[in-house]
Amino acid sequence: MHVHSEYSPCSRVKLFESLSKAAQLGVDLAITDHDTIKGALKAKLLLQKYNVKVFIGCEVSTRDGQILAYGILEEIPPYLPAEQAIELIHEQGAVVVAAHPFRDDRESLLDKTYVLPLDGVEVLNLAGGGISKDAEEVAVSRGLAQIGGSDAHTLNLVGEAGTRFPYQPESEEDLIKMIKRKECTPVRVIRR
Ligand SMILES: [Zn+2]
Ligand SMILES: [Zn+2]
């Protein structure tokens, strides 16, 4: 649910490497590059070669911190106020998840996680240290979906943490539906 590719300036992992590792592990991927869906769209073209599904995601930079959007088809301009970015994502019928909300830096929503109109919270971020108790608490108290992801910028993390759904989503619509119903569980190691 949180994988970067060569379309993120800070990532060193190539799409084809991620897809081939995901195929080996038996997991699907949401590609969530910083402020672009180009990587996710390219992965969809590449994936015929691999037995993997790819979902379009994006880690959108806002003035208040980073948010994950799933199912957008139009990119969101970076560094808008979070409220505005979330509105633009929801207008596309997509869902919004707070990325590593309590990571102690300017890229995280921190206290805004308690008030913004989110659909979910990233409770497990492998690159950021694993499960966040604070993120888990806010998800429970606000009744938001709990998402897990690797936040992989290198191949060794791809597919090593993620989210389990009651059934394998066939499309972004399926994924969005299950996130809205909160039918998701963060998992540290996923094997189909
Ligand atoms: Zn981030
Ligand atoms: Zn990230």
Side-chain angles (χ1 to χ4, degrees):
M1 294 297 279
H2 193 159
V3 177
H4 293 274
S5 78
E6 67 260 37
Y7 287 84
S8 292
C10 50
S11 165
R12 279 179 292 137
V13 56
K14 299 257 181 284
L15 280 172
F16 77 89
E17 295 175 325
S18 292
L19 291 171
S20 123
K21 183 171 177 198
Q24 276 170 31
L25 295 176
V27 302
D28 298 327
L29 297 179
I31 303 291
T32 56
D33 285 306
H34 291 291
D35 302 306
T36 181
I37 57 171
K38 289 195 187 75
L41 293 173
K42 185 170 171 198
K44 279 186 182 277
L45 295 176
L46 290 174
L47 56 77
Q48 281 92 329
K49 263 182 76 184
Y50 309 92
N51 188 24
V52 177
K53 285 199 168 60
V54 169
F55 303 102
I56 300 176
C58 187
E59 186 165 20
V60 179
S61 313
T62 77
R63 274 185 217 168
D64 305 293
Q66 296 172 336
I67 51 178
L68 293 160
Y70 298 104
I72 55 168
L73 288 171
E74 278 176 49
E75 291 174 353
I76 309 298
Y79 302 109
L80 295 173
E83 287 84 355
Q84 206 179 331
I86 292 171
E87 204 176 299
L88 292 174
I89 295 164
H90 281 154
E91 274 172 13
Q92 297 188 40
V95 289
V96 183
V97 170
H100 44 72
F102 296 106
R103 204 175 70 185
D104 195 9
D105 58 30
R106 285 182 306 136
E107 291 171 344
S108 306
L109 293 179
L110 302 170
D111 283 353
K112 294 225 163 181
T113 314
Y114 295 96
V115 292
L116 288 167
L118 301 164
D119 302 286
V121 175
E122 192 180 51
V123 162
L124 164 62
N125 179 296
L126 192 59
I131 294 266
S132 156
K133 282 274 156 220
D134 290 337
E136 212 169 46
E137 272 172 31
V138 69
V140 170
S141 69
R142 294 195 58 192
L144 301 172
Q146 299 193 28
I147 301 295
S150 63
D151 202 358
H153 290 71
T154 50
L155 189 59
N156 65 319
L157 290 192
V158 173
E160 300 296 334
T163 305
R164 193 184 302 282
F165 295 96
Y167 63 90
Q168 189 186 11
E170 286 295 321
S171 61
E172 281 76 9
E173 289 72 42
D174 275 353
L175 192 68
I176 289 167
K177 213 182 294 171
M178 286 190 274
I179 292 173
K180 283 187 174 167
R181 290 184 188 150
K182 291 167 268 172
E183 293 174 334
C184 29
T185 316
V187 280
R188 173 63 180 77
V189 178
I190 36 178
R191 298 288 185 270
R192 192 179 283 152

